[in-house]
Amino acid sequence: MLASFRSRVALTNLAITLIALLVLTFVFTQLLRQHSIDVAQNGVSKSASQLARDVNREQSRVRNKDINAQGMYNYFWHDSKLLGNRVIFYSGNGLCGFDSKYYRRVATTQGNGCLAGNYSQWRLSPISLHRSLSRFVRSGSRTFLVTQRPTREGAVALVTDASSVIPTWSTIAPVFLVASLAAAIVFVLIAVYFAYAVSRPLGRVTAAAVAMSRGDYSQRVNVSGSGEIEELGRSFNHMATQVAASHQLLKDFVANVSHDLRTPLTIISGYADSLLDGTARNESEWREGAAVIAGEAVRMQHLVDNLLQLTRLESGLRKFDQKPVSVRSLVESTIRRTAGTADGRIVTNVVPENMPLAWADEELVERVLMNLLSNALEYTPPGGTIEIGARLHAGWIQVSVSDTGSGIRLEDQARIFERFYRVDKGRSRESGHSGLGLPIVKEIIEAHGGALDLESTPGRGSTFRFTIPRFSPQT
Ligand code: ADP
């Protein structure tokens, strides 16, 4: 269960959340604790200041003999009881003048509660007698907050038990623990939700991929949302479309090849049988049978050659040998090679003499010219013209093969670059055409990085244009 993507995402989120919560709890607890101390210390400071004013007032009343010292001590003893804190006066020489802790308890305190001995732990030094101070003092196992304020004749100190100022962990921690727990629960729910939201579409993609691997190429996933997951869904669907298309292509390919091979094989087998079983009786019939067998064999050889060429080009098996090539010379030699089939059609090389060299595989470009020119000758009636020209176009060499032949209908124009596509299937096959000529041309031109396009008007003629790179000395 822990190996699943969903649980790992949820656990990672949870771990990060818990660590963040722990850190936050610790920091906030510290801050809260410090804040509580500051607030309490502030309260004690105010009481100490008030006390200092009271001491000044009461001492002047003693001086004016409105009350005696004992009356003043009683006043502060009650005051200390009210405040719940110990009150100590220091006289100008730094000695104890009154201590509420032992007042009324010990007979030996000369009536002012001061024990014989050192009170210095409750104040800093004689100099600091005149300062306002607040500090924590350890006495035995206990800690006290001593808040001192100067008075006219000395100083007064308010001694508070530190436990009433410093909050203990046990008072703060439960609040934070409860808050953290509540936050952790909310985060767990959110983490689980997000993990689920992320993994659910992944699950759908996985299921579709499994179905595809079993041969169901119709699989598409509906992944809504945003970001990478949606991108993944779109990429998967794109891939599925491509796989389905190439699977279909393969099926069509096998069907086409089988069909194109079956017809000549049937013819060959029929004529071979007639030669063997004696149906062909005289020499002229033997010759006729042998000629048909030879013709069909050549047709099959042509088909297999084309298939091999296409496969080699597609798979990159054909070594690509680019070098500077003169387009004009190449056109010239192609025209010369097809001169025997011109049959009353005028073929002209209109490539300018100063045309720059192309950077191409000579043999392949010659194949392109050969295929285009053969087609042009095939579909142009005697008396028609064919022109092969070239020009510079956007830094490339654009070659055009124009004829005044039959032209191609618009609905066929988009499809003639598909394998085995022939406009007139019967006629093409009769004349040995397999529908692989233009796909080979396209493959060769694209291998050069160029583009192939067609402009054709039925009944008036066609122009095939292709681009190949221009040679530059740096190439
Ligand atoms: P094929 O080897 O059968 O000629 P191609 O791929 O070379 O196959 O051509 C496909 C189809 O395109 C041909 O069947 C033909 O109908 C059409 N075609 C090609 N070139 C021309 C052209 N110059 N004029 C008219 N139709 C053409």
Side-chain angles (χ1 to χ4, degrees), residues 259-285:
H259 179 264
D260 277 41
L261 285 177
R262 199 180 319 116
T263 316
L265 280 173
T266 312
I267 296 171
I268 288 173
S269 129
Y271 274 89
D273 281 347
S274 75
L275 290 177
L276 285 172
D277 63 16
T279 317
R281 270 164 295 186
N282 52 43
E283 200 184 327
S284 90
E285 283 179 359

Side-chain angles (χ1 to χ4, degrees), residues 84-127:
N85 291 328
R86 182 176 175 184
V87 175
I88 305 171
F89 298 171
Y90 296 97
S91 40
N93 56 12
L95 296 174
C96 175
F98 169 77
D99 185 349
S100 68
K101 186 174 179 184
Y102 300 107
Y103 186 70
R104 295 202 174 167
R105 266 217 263 154
V106 184
T108 54
T109 57
Q110 304 163 349
N112 63 1
C114 292
L115 287 174
N118 197 353
Y119 275 80
S120 62
Q121 70 165 322
W122 302 125
R123 62 183 184 82
L124 286 175
S125 68
I127 299 166

Side-chain angles (χ1 to χ4, degrees), residues 38-174:
D38 289 347
V39 169
Q41 232 173 333
N42 209 11
V44 174
S45 292
K46 278 186 184 148
S47 301
S49 302
Q50 180 58 46
L51 207 61
R53 284 195 292 278
D54 290 351
V55 169
N56 287 338
R57 190 191 63 235
E58 293 304 311
Q59 281 179 336
S60 55
R61 286 178 69 201
V62 171
R63 263 195 313 280
N64 296 339
K65 305 227 181 332
D66 292 342
I67 53 167
N68 61 15
Q70 216 57 48
M72 180 177 77
Y73 296 151
N74 282 338
Y75 177 89
F76 287 110
W77 184 78
H78 283 293
D79 231 13
S80 82
K81 290 284 161 221
L82 268 175
L83 289 170
N85 291 328
R86 182 176 175 184
V87 175
I88 305 171
F89 298 171
Y90 296 97
S91 40
N93 56 12
L95 296 174
C96 175
F98 169 77
D99 185 349
S100 68
K101 186 174 179 184
Y102 300 107
Y103 186 70
R104 295 202 174 167
R105 266 217 263 154
V106 184
T108 54
T109 57
Q110 304 163 349
N112 63 1
C114 292
L115 287 174
N118 197 353
Y119 275 80
S120 62
Q121 70 165 322
W122 302 125
R123 62 183 184 82
L124 286 175
S125 68
I127 299 166
S128 64
L129 197 65
H130 305 293
R131 285 197 192 144
S132 289
L133 294 164
S134 181
R135 66 187 181 113
F136 287 95
V137 171
R138 236 186 135 67
S139 175
S141 61
R142 297 172 65 190
T143 305
F144 297 94
L145 171 67
V146 180
T147 311
Q148 180 187 297
R149 290 287 176 275
T151 61
R152 234 173 272 137
E153 294 174 14
V156 64
L158 203 56
V159 182
T160 315
D161 198 318
S163 64
S164 65
V165 177
I166 303 170
T168 55
W169 287 108
S170 57
T171 55
I172 306 171

Side-chain angles (χ1 to χ4, degrees), residues 28-41 167 172:
F28 277 115
T29 312
Q30 286 291 354
L31 287 175
L32 184 75
R33 187 167 172 270
Q34 191 53 51
H35 179 69
S36 306
I37 294 171
D38 289 347
V39 169
Q41 232 173 333
I172 306 171

Side-chain angles (χ1 to χ4, degrees), residues 162-216:
S163 64
S164 65
V165 177
I166 303 170
T168 55
W169 287 108
S170 57
T171 55
I172 306 171
V175 181
F176 274 98
L177 279 178
V178 170
S180 302
L181 205 69
I185 290 169
V186 172
F187 276 120
V188 168
L189 292 177
I190 293 173
V192 169
Y193 171 77
F194 274 111
Y196 189 68
V198 169
S199 69
R200 199 170 43 167
L202 289 183
R204 265 190 256 138
V205 174
T206 310
V210 169
M212 263 185 85
S213 71
R214 292 193 184 124
D216 178 1

Side-chain angles (χ1 to χ4, degrees), residues 401-444:
V401 180
S402 309
D403 63 57
T404 55
S406 62
I408 304 162
R409 286 176 306 168
L410 198 62
E411 60 266 37
D412 293 320
Q413 284 182 24
R415 301 203 57 196
I416 55 167
F417 299 104
E418 290 173 16
R419 290 153 187 215
F420 297 105
Y421 190 80
R422 286 158 286 195
V423 174
D424 179 352
K425 291 194 171 40
R427 197 190 133 208
S428 288
R429 215 209 72 75
E430 292 294 295
S431 50
H433 290 283
S434 54
L436 290 174
L438 289 177
I440 289 175
V441 167
K442 190 164 182 267
E443 203 67 45
I444 293 173

